[in-house]
Amino acid sequence: MTMKAELNRLQSLIEQLIARLQNERGLNQQLRNQLATREAELARTRAQLQDVRSRMEGMLAQFNRPTDER
């Protein structure tokens, strides 16, 4: 293989690697965005769950209060 042919082959490989790297970076950013969105959803769900739990505990506490027997 001639030197020029070898250089062309190497340049082609480098271009392929650069394209692959750019694609991987894009995919990585997309996955990071999805993760951030899911983490935010999880935080909201946890807050809602805590709110419902607190309300339920309040309701149960009302039922568990000793009644005034007069």
Side-chain angles (χ1 to χ4, degrees):
M1 189 176 256
T2 67
M3 181 72 110
K4 183 162 178 109
E6 183 66 17
L7 287 174
N8 287 339
R9 187 182 76 79
L10 289 174
Q11 180 154 355
S12 176
L13 288 173
I14 290 170
E15 289 169 359
Q16 289 174 18
L17 288 172
I18 289 170
R20 184 174 172 188
L21 177 61
Q22 290 171 340
N23 185 48
E24 293 291 327
R25 282 183 178 165
L27 180 59
N28 185 292
Q29 185 60 46
Q30 183 180 20
L31 292 172
R32 285 177 186 262
N33 290 340
Q34 286 179 3
L35 180 59
T37 299
R38 289 183 179 160
E39 286 175 340
E41 289 172 357
L42 179 60
R44 280 191 302 274
T45 302
R46 282 183 176 153
Q48 289 172 344
L49 177 61
Q50 185 59 40
D51 183 50
V52 170
R53 182 179 289 149
S54 295
R55 286 188 211 169
M56 291 300 296
E57 288 173 351
M59 290 172 63
L60 289 173
Q62 288 177 352
F63 289 115
N64 289 333
R65 283 187 197 150
T67 58
D68 284 340
E69 294 183 23
R70 294 184 188 181

